[in-house]
């Protein structure tokens, strides 16, 4: 059996040992070199650390009431956003000269065909300088099956300023902007955004 004096000494030695080990590990951690990655000529360079992921900023109109507008359609009728309350409306600002706009239109055509009977309506707001003179031949060529109107500078301002095309807004049945997307909007991503709104719409009816 160890005497109390020796026990106290052993406890002291153990505590000192753990303290020294902790300091040593801390020193190794602080002074550990950044991992090296080989280059094409065989030299080593510091490996880049992965950048921190950033959450994209939410559009200022998201969650707000969608600004109403009333514009002439290509077929001569009038499209008024407020007339579609109770439906899901995808407002898409676009132009015929815009490559990503043209790229996303086939997906919109497919979704309008598929989800139109479920109260989903697309409206294409063209920002072409020549209006329907540019839109009409392109729409006929593509077989666009949803309303097309020509926008104005005033309308783009009310939607927060459309600084780049395309720009899309998903307006819920209550007239609130539920999703805003600058740039190309893939069909799969738009489906993902529409699904919960469609579920709520079916439940409410």
């Amino acid at each position: 059996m160890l005497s109390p004096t020796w026990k106290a000494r052993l406890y002291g030695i153990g505590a000192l040992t753990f303290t020294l080990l902790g300091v040593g590990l801390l020193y190794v951690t602080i002074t550990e070199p950044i991992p090296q990655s080989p280059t094409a000529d065989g030299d080593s360079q510091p490996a880049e650390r992965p950048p921190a992921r950033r959450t994209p900023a939410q559009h200022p109109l998201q969650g707000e009431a969608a600004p109403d507008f009333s514009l002439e359609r290509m077929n001569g009728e009038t499209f008024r956003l407020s007339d579609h309350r109770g439906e899901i409306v995808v407002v898409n600002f676009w132009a015929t000269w815009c490559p990503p706009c043209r790229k996303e239109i086939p997906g919109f055509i497919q979704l309008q065909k598929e989800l139109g009977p479920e109260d989903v309506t697309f409206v294409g707001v063209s920002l072409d300088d020549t209006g329907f003179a540019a839109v009409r031949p392109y729409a006929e060529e593509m077989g666009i099956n949803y309303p097309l109107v020509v926008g104005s500078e005033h309308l783009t301002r009310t939607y927060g300023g459309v600084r780049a095309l395309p720009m899309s807004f998903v307006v819920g049945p209550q007239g609130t902007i539920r999703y805003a997307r600058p740039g190309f909007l893939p069909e799969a991503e738009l489906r993902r955004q529409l699904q919960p709104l469609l579920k709520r719409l079916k439940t409410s009816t």
Side-chain angles (χ1 to χ4, degrees), residues 6 10 34 79 132 136 201:
W6 274 105
L10 288 175
I34 297 175
F79 181 94
F132 289 134
R136 191 180 302 278
L201 191 58

Side-chain angles (χ1 to χ4, degrees), residues 132-198:
F132 289 134
V135 172
R136 191 180 302 278
Y138 182 78
E140 292 175 351
E141 175 188 351
M142 294 297 297
I144 295 179
N145 56 353
Y146 50 83
L148 296 174
V149 299
V150 174
S152 63
E153 185 177 348
H154 170 72
L155 180 59
T156 59
R157 283 201 306 268
T158 64
Y159 273 81
V162 179
R163 297 177 178 82
L165 294 178
M167 180 75 202
S168 300
F169 297 87
V170 176
V171 182
Q174 304 303 318
T176 303
I177 293 177
R178 307 304 301 272
Y179 177 71
R181 170 74 175 239
F184 172 69
L185 178 52
E187 181 182 342
E189 169 63 15
L190 183 51
R191 282 182 184 276
R192 191 175 71 84
Q193 296 296 330
L194 292 174
Q195 283 174 355
L197 296 175
L198 285 167

